[in-house]
């Protein structure tokens, strides 16, 4: 049915239309000069600290991204030099990259007759400007990993702070981590862990999560329960030394933050850093150059002084524990990798690294001019 939908940008989130008209693209209206609650992200997801004035602009930029990427075919941006009153309005900074393309602007003018004193512009792809990128003082492992996968993806996610979609697999992993944390955390010396305690923690973790794919929830609930039951029956759910331990590590003047799922202390004095995985099992030889384990090893040695130390991934699907050796030369390579990433971010080098598989799962493929899809 042909129809015009009139809605706010917030209401348009997650929707798509053939043609989208974004009005009022003037400084003071979009972006607005007023600070509001608007579209917020949890602080935990915002790893880079922005000064307060930047926060509002980053929020407006996210809204502009949402508005300008709702269209399957065309976006029409409109603005006027005068609205009510006598104020002269200046074009929005979000139009800057669109207006830079003269060819598109001319095409737009042929298609549409702009109102007197107004402007009409059409864009198919939009790059949002970011002036004065904040300095980088701290990074998380997720940020380093994202930059290594694709610096352009890093820029969209952590510099422009554009929102990403929730994914069932990620939520499933988070629920299992929560259930393990709560059930292992409830073990007391005189109160050993029972299956009922694990199951209750698992049910509570599901109840807290707003799952993005309700149709998949029942089968994933059963699957996760079978993972936990197998780990419980194998005797792998014993009281740990540390659970969900945050760390902050200095690497070349940079703070690298993260969280270790679990640390065990064995009878022979050995410390074991354990990270739970919900994906397929990888062999120890494949994990020799795994950066995440390198980061854990650096944190365990330099922050917590855990010696002797082993590093393991615990694969919940198979209850398999894969232990990896990280000799000091490998750790040095990992440290250099982190330094290289930080240098790239500081120099604002965000080249795209397109790859068909990576791009097909990328949240920014509709926006990214280099997407290989
Ligand atoms: S679409 Fe591909 S090239 Fe573009 S940001 Fe995503 S992963 Fe990188």
């Amino acid at each position: 049915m042909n129809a015009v939908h009139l809605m706010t940008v917030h209401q348009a989130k997650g929707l798509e239309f053939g043609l989208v008209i974004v009005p009022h693209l003037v400084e003071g209206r979009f972006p607005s000069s007023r600070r509001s609650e608007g579209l917020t992200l949890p602080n935990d997801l915002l790893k880079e600290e922005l000064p307060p004035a930047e926060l509002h602009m980053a929020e407006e930029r996210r809204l502009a991204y949402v508005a300008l990427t709702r269209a399957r075919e065309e976006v029409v941006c409109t603005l006027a030099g005068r609205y009510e009153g006598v104020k002269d309005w200046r074009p929005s900074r979000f139009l800057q990259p669109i207006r830079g393309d003269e060819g598109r602007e001319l095409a737009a003018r042929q298609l549409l007759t702009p109102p007197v004193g107004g402007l009409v512009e059409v864009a198919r792809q939009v790059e949002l400007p970011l002036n004065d990128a904040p300095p980088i003082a701290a990074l998380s492992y997720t940020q380093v990993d994202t930059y290594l996968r694709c610096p352009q993806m890093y820029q969209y996610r952590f510099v422009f702070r554009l929102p990403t979609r929730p994914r069932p697999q990620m939520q499933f992993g988070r629920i299992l981590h929560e259930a393990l944390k709560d059930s292992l955390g409830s073990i007391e010396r005189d109160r050993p862990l029972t299956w009922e305690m694990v199951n209750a923690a698992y049910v509570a973790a599901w109840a807290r999560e707003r799952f993005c794919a309700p149709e998949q929830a029942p089968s994933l609930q059963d699957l996760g329960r079978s993972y936990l039951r197998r780990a419980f029956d194998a005797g792998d759910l014993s009281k740990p030394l540390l659970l969900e331990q945050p760390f902050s590590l200095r690497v070349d003047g940079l703070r690298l933050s993260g969280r270790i799922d679990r640390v065990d202390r064995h009878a022979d004095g050995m410390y074991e850093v354990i990270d739970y995985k919900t994906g397929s099992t990888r062999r120890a030889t494949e994990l020799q150059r795994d950066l995440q384990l390198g980061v854990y090893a650096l944190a365990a040695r330099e922050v917590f002084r855990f010696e002797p130390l082993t590093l393991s991934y615990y694969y919940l699907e198979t209850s398999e524990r894969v232990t990896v050796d990280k000799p000091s030369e490998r750790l040095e390579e990992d440290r250099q990798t982190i330094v290289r990433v930080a240098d790239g971010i500081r120099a604002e080098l965000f080249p795209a690294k397109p790859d068909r598989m990576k791009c097909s799962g990328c949240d920014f493929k509709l926006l990214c001019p280099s997407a290989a899809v």
Side-chain angles (χ1 to χ4, degrees):
M1 186 181 71
N2 288 331
V4 174
H5 300 263
L6 193 63
M7 58 182 65
T8 64
V9 180
H10 286 102
Q11 287 168 334
K13 275 173 68 187
L15 303 176
E16 276 194 345
F17 303 94
L19 168 70
V20 169
I21 299 176
V22 185
H24 287 193
L25 272 154
V26 288
E27 286 292 306
R29 290 196 167 189
F30 205 180
S32 75
S33 48
R34 159 179 65 88
R35 293 187 188 178
S36 70
E37 286 307 305
L39 181 65
T40 56
L41 290 180
N43 285 338
D44 285 351
L45 298 180
L46 303 179
K47 303 293 184 188
E48 289 174 20
E49 289 162 19
L50 286 178
E54 281 287 325
L55 284 174
H56 171 69
M57 198 47 66
E59 182 182 307
E60 290 291 287
R61 192 174 293 114
R62 284 198 296 277
L63 275 176
Y65 165 75
V66 170
L68 295 170
T69 53
R70 295 310 87 203
R72 277 191 299 271
E73 288 156 25
E74 276 185 356
V75 185
V76 176
C77 303
T78 71
L79 68 153
R82 284 274 167 85
Y83 291 96
E84 70 282 342
V86 292
K87 178 180 161 96
D88 287 325
W89 295 83
R90 283 184 299 114
S92 166
R93 70 192 70 189
F94 297 148
L95 284 169
Q96 200 181 322
I98 307 170
R99 298 183 70 191
D101 189 333
E102 202 181 331
R104 284 193 210 127
E105 190 170 345
L106 287 173
R109 286 174 189 285
Q110 282 165 5
L111 280 170
L112 301 161
T113 308
V116 175
L119 254 175
V120 179
E121 307 197 34
V122 175
R124 281 202 166 73
Q125 279 188 331
V126 178
E127 285 179 27
L128 301 181
L130 182 92
N131 300 323
D132 305 324
I136 302 296
L139 283 177
S140 66
Y141 167 73
T142 307
Q143 286 174 295
V144 174
D145 182 54
T146 305
Y147 189 90
L148 288 171
R149 280 196 287 150
C150 175
Q152 173 75 89
M153 189 198 289
Y154 174 93
Q155 187 184 35
Y156 287 140
R157 184 168 170 193
F158 294 107
V159 180
F160 294 166
R161 297 150 68 91
L162 302 179
T164 54
R165 278 175 304 155
R167 294 179 190 283
Q169 250 346 89
M170 285 187 64
Q171 287 187 289
F172 178 57
R174 189 159 56 226
I175 289 166
L176 283 164
H177 276 75
E178 285 285 305
L180 285 162
K181 183 186 79 170
D182 293 345
S183 48
L184 295 183
S186 67
I187 301 175
E188 306 281 351
R189 198 181 292 277
D190 53 351
R191 185 170 171 248
L193 192 67
T194 63
W195 168 245
E196 286 67 34
M197 288 160 69
V198 179
N199 193 39
Y202 182 58
V203 170
W206 267 99
R208 285 196 297 272
E209 188 84 24
R210 195 161 155 224
F211 203 64
C212 66
E215 69 288 355
Q216 294 180 31
S219 60
L220 285 175
Q221 279 167 356
D222 290 347
L223 188 67
R225 186 173 284 107
S226 73
Y227 289 0
L228 293 175
R229 182 76 221 200
R230 200 176 308 118
F232 178 80
D233 290 343
D236 289 335
L237 304 188
S238 51
K239 186 164 179 59
L241 177 68
L242 296 173
L243 267 175
E244 295 281 335
Q245 178 61 45
F247 63 81
S248 177
L249 173 74
R250 284 233 157 260
V251 180
D252 194 39
L254 179 89
R255 226 166 5 94
L256 184 71
S257 60
R259 194 176 287 268
I260 297 174
D261 284 346
R262 169 176 165 180
V263 180
D264 283 359
R265 181 95 196 263
H266 296 289
D268 60 0
M270 175 74 78
Y271 291 92
E272 184 180 13
V273 167
I274 300 171
D275 193 68
Y276 299 117
K277 293 284 176 204
T278 46
S280 322
T281 310
R282 291 170 69 198
R283 292 194 308 272
T285 46
E286 292 174 67
L287 294 168
Q288 291 283 318
R289 293 186 185 277
D290 186 89
L291 182 64
Q292 189 175 13
L293 283 174
V295 170
Y296 289 157
L298 288 169
R301 294 213 164 103
E302 296 179 13
V303 180
F304 302 111
R305 309 277 172 212
F306 289 153
E307 286 289 353
L309 175 74
T310 58
L311 306 155
S312 303
Y313 277 152
Y314 187 93
Y315 290 94
L316 287 158
E317 189 183 356
T318 53
S319 319
E320 223 177 315
R321 190 180 297 231
V322 178
T323 298
V324 178
D325 186 29
K326 271 277 187 183
S328 46
E329 61 273 17
R330 287 253 190 281
L331 290 185
E332 197 41 47
E333 285 173 18
D334 291 342
R335 195 192 293 277
Q336 291 309 318
T337 302
I338 295 163
V339 170
R340 246 193 356 264
V341 167
D343 286 348
I345 294 170
R346 286 196 188 105
E348 298 184 35
L349 297 174
F350 302 115
K353 279 211 301 202
D355 163 275
R356 195 168 289 275
M357 242 178 77
K358 210 165 40 184
C359 295
S360 67
C362 176
D363 282 310
F364 312 113
K365 62 182 178 227
L366 290 178
L367 174 72
C368 176
S370 310
V373 284

